[in-house]
Amino acid sequence: MGMKGILRVVPKEEYLLPGNPSCPGCPASLGLRYLLKALGGKAILVIPASCTSIIVGPYPFSSLRVPVLNIAFAAAASTAAGISEALKVKGKEGIQVVVWAGDGGTADIGLQALSGAAERNSDILYVCYDNEAYMNTGIQRSSLTPYGAWTTTTPKGKVEEKKNLPMIVAEHKVPYVATASVGYPIDLILKVRKAIKYRGFKYIHLHAPCPYGWRFPANKTVEVAKLAVKTGIWVLYEIENGKFRLTSLSSSLIDPSKRLPVNKYLKLQGRFKHLSEEDISRIQERVNTMWDELMRLVKES
Amino acid sequence: MRVITPIAKPKEGSAGLTGKWRIFKPVINYSKCNNCGLCWLYCPEAAITLDGKNVPKIVYEYCKGCGICANECPVRAIDLIKEE
Ligand SMILES: Cc1ncc(C[n+]2csc(CCOP(=O)(O)OP(=O)(O)O)c2C)c(N)n1
Ligand code: SF4
Ligand code: SF4
Ligand SMILES: [Mg+2]
């Protein structure tokens, strides 16, 4: 793509400030940096308890050049909906109210508020950064931790499957739902810009590989994120007014021979190092079946 | 009654000089760099800036030494050097 191509999409202006408390190689920092660039800083963030509550900075300092409201877990989506209504009453246009929440805060603890706001079609953008566990409290499993992954509460590997949250949100028939990855920032930024053109509920599910919690070296965050997409374990798509579309690299992976074997992704991460050959084949089969279902969606759209 | 609302203000280095966390220091070899912009794009810390000619510069006060820039550089123009 080259520098010119990148700068055509990604503004130079920074809204996430350096010297913040995030871990080296943090995917939440990457995601926030891209999100705020996409929004040109015209946003109010609502953030439930998570690693990001730390990253936004120790009082009296903030690491973000936008207003942030730290809020209790169960209240993020409803609070954001309220702020959005208040801005309308005050006649303030052009400011996007965004929930930025982790997987635990979204798929477990905040799910009813999220579902309520989606059903009411509240005018907010909800971004779930999915690092697949409760990282800030020390790597406990969530309903978005994948099958087989070690966490401190699944010492032999998780036995349940990962909840398919973006599709659950899409079933609320909201105008815009997308998946994204910190390894594909251009795709993410274009999706954020597309999402905020819609009035109503927008949802972006951002895959966010965490070096600390997934047990890989800090220099591999982007590499692991890309491998999730290249192996087809994580799929980049968007659903606009019910119309499904694969995006970026995922759109060229329908042919199974184009996808890398899942082990290329799994073997970089300590959280999967105990997996048996059978576990790995099971994960591969699940990925193949998921892509068969995606094929059906592509054909229907 | 006076109500005090705690409001935090934006500041670089909200956690101090995070460059002190570094174990390995990324150093750009400008004779190899082809100015593709990927290190700047993927730095989680926003610790790489682009100058007027879009040449990447690492801000060592804050760079945490994660090594993502070196890992993503397609021409291996960034060396990681052990800090003293
Ligand atoms: C009601 C309540 N329960 C528990 C906590 C403790 N807590 C703080 S952050 C966190 C983890 C959240 O996990 P996730 O949403 O996945 O975000 P991450 O830390 O992974 O970024 C928990 C359990 C809390 N702050 N409030
Ligand atoms: S080592 Fe990490 S923090 Fe430092 S400049 Fe490179 S990507 Fe940024
Ligand atoms: S990634 Fe490497 S080649 Fe590209 S701009 Fe940075 S140092 Fe130069
Ligand atoms: Mg999490």
Side-chain angles (χ1 to χ4, degrees):
Chain A
M1 173 171 241
M3 178 77 84
K4 278 220 182 83
I6 292 172
L7 289 177
R8 220 172 285 138
V9 181
V10 190
K12 278 194 190 179
E13 189 80 15
E14 303 287 354
Y15 304 91
L16 167 85
L17 297 170
N20 63 64
S22 67
C23 302
C26 172
S29 286
L30 266 180
L32 276 170
R33 187 175 166 234
Y34 301 142
L35 170 77
L36 294 176
K37 279 175 182 281
L39 295 169
K42 292 187 190 68
I44 295 175
L45 296 196
V46 177
I47 301 179
S50 56
C51 284
T52 308
S53 321
I54 309 300
I55 299 167
V56 294
Y59 181 79
F61 306 129
S62 171
S63 319
L64 302 182
R65 287 174 53 211
V66 299
V68 172
L69 185 68
N70 289 298
I71 196 81
F73 263 121
S78 37
T79 302
I83 295 173
S84 166
E85 289 304 319
L87 289 176
K88 286 208 177 80
V89 170
K90 293 196 155 206
K92 291 200 176 165
E93 297 272 331
I95 304 165
Q96 183 60 53
V97 184
V98 184
V99 175
W100 172 270
D103 49 296
T106 300
D108 302 338
I109 320 176
L111 189 58
Q112 58 84 11
L114 161 62
S115 176
E119 190 261 341
R120 293 190 306 272
N121 201 25
S122 294
D123 189 16
I124 62 172
L125 169 64
Y126 192 114
V127 183
C128 169
Y129 72 98
D130 183 5
N131 54 19
E132 303 190 328
Y134 291 74
M135 292 310 175
N136 193 54
T137 38
I139 328 178
Q140 294 84 14
R141 61 85 91 185
S142 77
S143 60
L144 293 183
T145 302
Y147 170 81
W150 166 91
T151 65
T152 53
T153 49
T154 53
K156 292 182 174 169
K158 193 184 168 197
V159 292
E160 299 85 3
E161 294 286 336
K162 184 181 173 83
K163 198 186 271 184
N164 191 350
L165 198 60
M167 285 298 180
I168 292 169
V169 178
E171 283 302 323
H172 290 71
K173 310 301 177 198
V174 295
Y176 190 83
V177 171
T179 57
S181 160
V182 297
Y184 294 86
I186 307 282
D187 179 69
L188 167 62
I189 289 172
L190 294 177
K191 282 169 174 167
V192 171
R193 289 198 181 128
K194 194 183 260 187
I196 62 169
K197 289 196 184 134
Y198 289 96
R199 283 234 160 175
F201 193 86
K202 291 85 66 172
Y203 180 80
I204 295 180
H205 197 109
L206 178 65
H207 199 230
C210 165
Y212 157 74
W214 298 14
R215 299 296 194 238
F216 62 79
N219 65 343
K220 300 257 184 266
T221 304
V222 171
E223 191 177 329
V224 171
K226 285 184 175 170
L227 278 169
V229 173
K230 289 176 186 169
T231 54
I233 279 196
W234 189 248
V235 187
L236 301 174
Y237 63 79
E238 63 184 2
I239 306 172
E240 257 186 287
N241 288 321
K243 203 167 156 33
F244 177 91
R245 191 173 79 87
L246 292 169
T247 68
S248 188
L249 186 74
S250 296
S251 59
S252 61
L253 298 181
I254 291 187
D255 174 357
S257 70
K258 298 269 162 43
R259 304 196 287 266
L260 296 177
V262 290
N263 201 26
K264 285 242 184 307
Y265 169 72
L266 303 174
K267 75 176 184 205
L268 278 182
Q269 306 168 49
R271 66 174 176 158
F272 292 120
K273 74 165 188 277
H274 58 280
L275 292 187
S276 64
E277 287 296 320
E278 289 97 80
D279 285 329
I280 294 167
S281 329
R282 174 186 158 140
I283 293 170
Q284 184 67 64
E285 271 163 38
R286 289 292 159 105
V287 169
N288 298 349
T289 316
M290 174 181 72
W291 275 88
D292 291 344
E293 285 162 21
L294 289 170
M295 283 257 286
R296 191 174 51 76
L297 286 178
V298 169
K299 281 191 189 130
E300 277 171 13
S301 281
Chain B
M1 194 181 73
R2 202 160 72 94
V3 178
I4 302 171
T5 324
I7 296 178
K9 296 271 165 60
K11 183 182 181 287
E12 271 191 8
S14 63
L17 294 174
T18 51
K20 288 184 186 154
W21 302 5
R22 222 172 26 240
I23 299 169
F24 289 95
K25 178 181 184 172
V27 178
I28 301 177
N29 180 341
Y30 289 101
S31 64
K32 281 194 195 165
C33 167
N34 66 10
N35 228 37
C36 71
L38 288 177
C39 57
W40 171 78
L41 182 64
Y42 283 121
C43 173
E45 197 57 28
I48 301 183
T49 57
L50 296 177
D51 71 7
K53 290 195 171 112
N54 293 335
V55 176
K57 294 257 152 62
I58 297 174
V59 182
Y60 290 112
E61 283 84 353
Y62 299 123
C63 159
K64 291 170 182 165
C66 68
I68 289 179
C69 53
N71 201 59
E72 296 311 313
C73 174
V75 296
R76 301 242 156 255
I78 304 180
D79 298 315
L80 290 173
I81 295 159
K82 187 112 203 270
E83 292 279 359
E84 303 290 289

